Amino acid sequence: MNIKKVGVVGCGLMGHGIAQVSAQAGYDVVVREVDQATLDKGIGKIDKQLARSVEKGKLEQAAADEIRARIQGTLHYGDLSDCDLVVEAITEDLDLKLEMWRELNEVVKGDTVCATNTSSLPVVIQAVETEHPDRFIGLHFFNPAQVMKLLEVVRCVTTSDEALEAGVEWGKSLGKLTVETKDKAGFIVNRLLVPYMPDAIRAYEEGVGTITEIYEAMKAGAGHPMGPLTLADFVGLDTMGSICDVLFDEFRERRFAQPPTLRKMLMAGWYGRKTGMGFYDYSGDEPKENQGLANAV
């Protein structure tokens, strides 16, 4: 399978990064969003990332201009009709994803490889919504896609050898470390990593340590680059909550369930860095512990 043009559906937290790394690898990219304001915001993030790379001397201005020129924004699914690979990177909502694939069915080529960037939902549920489930894979990027080296390439029961190989080779062409995995809840990384974050929330609820103490202990004691509650804010508490629900439905173990504090934070609309409030308050020059939690837990 010869991939030359890549479509990305969604230009948000993950989509804009996937579009950028694809263009940096030399692919023509079409990125689709639901409205112009959201599209402009996502493209603006790409512009800022490229400008920062130029400022730091990582890119020449001419190279940055070439990368940007490969990226086309659109509000129409029809503009994805000649893409060889389409990667879904919209909200982690199964109904929305299925609706999206139904619309894409009407426009994509018969030999297009389709992929979902889901971090938790079963790949096969989306695959069977398409007309060619044998050409469907998971391509799980990590945030930020421009920086994180790993790409999990997920094979579900309908995936053909050719589609899987296409995903692996495309990922390698982006400079990613590609790891093949199966369509099981959480794949590899989230199956192991996500339970660690709710465990940390429960430790906080039980008074084992403060947010800062847990952060410092895991950095110094386990060699982690950041503490688990900081990581939860970075991943997005809404995303983490969704993955918890999938893992709990699959395994029915308490440690996979959303802790009470997480449920309350989601009700409050505190999703972490993306909303400016999570376990930390990001409204100032430097993050500080969320005092609303300190007074309630």
Side-chain angles (χ1 to χ4, degrees), residues 23-70:
Q24 287 176 178
Y27 295 97
D28 292 325
V29 180
V30 180
V31 57
R32 188 264 178 186
E33 258 298 353
V34 295
D35 57 59
Q36 194 64 48
T38 307
L39 179 62
D40 290 344
K41 182 178 179 181
I43 295 293
K45 290 180 179 178
I46 295 174
D47 291 338
K48 288 180 181 178
Q49 289 282 349
L50 293 174
R52 190 175 295 119
S53 293
V54 172
E55 290 172 8
K56 292 182 177 180
K58 296 179 178 179
L59 272 180
E60 296 292 335
Q61 184 62 57
D65 292 341
E66 288 178 8
I67 292 168
R68 179 63 183 84
R70 295 188 194 108

Side-chain angles (χ1 to χ4, degrees), residues 1-7 77-86 101 103-114 130-136:
M1 296 180 184
N2 189 16
I3 295 173
K4 294 182 178 179
K5 189 171 185 178
V6 177
Y77 283 119
D79 290 328
L80 303 173
S81 62
D82 60 344
C83 291
D84 306 300
L85 169 68
V86 175
W101 289 120
E103 296 196 53
L104 273 176
N105 270 336
E106 303 298 320
V107 300
V108 295
K109 301 183 298 180
D111 60 351
T112 297
V113 177
C114 293
T130 69
E131 293 183 0
H132 301 281
D134 59 311
R135 305 180 74 83
F136 200 99

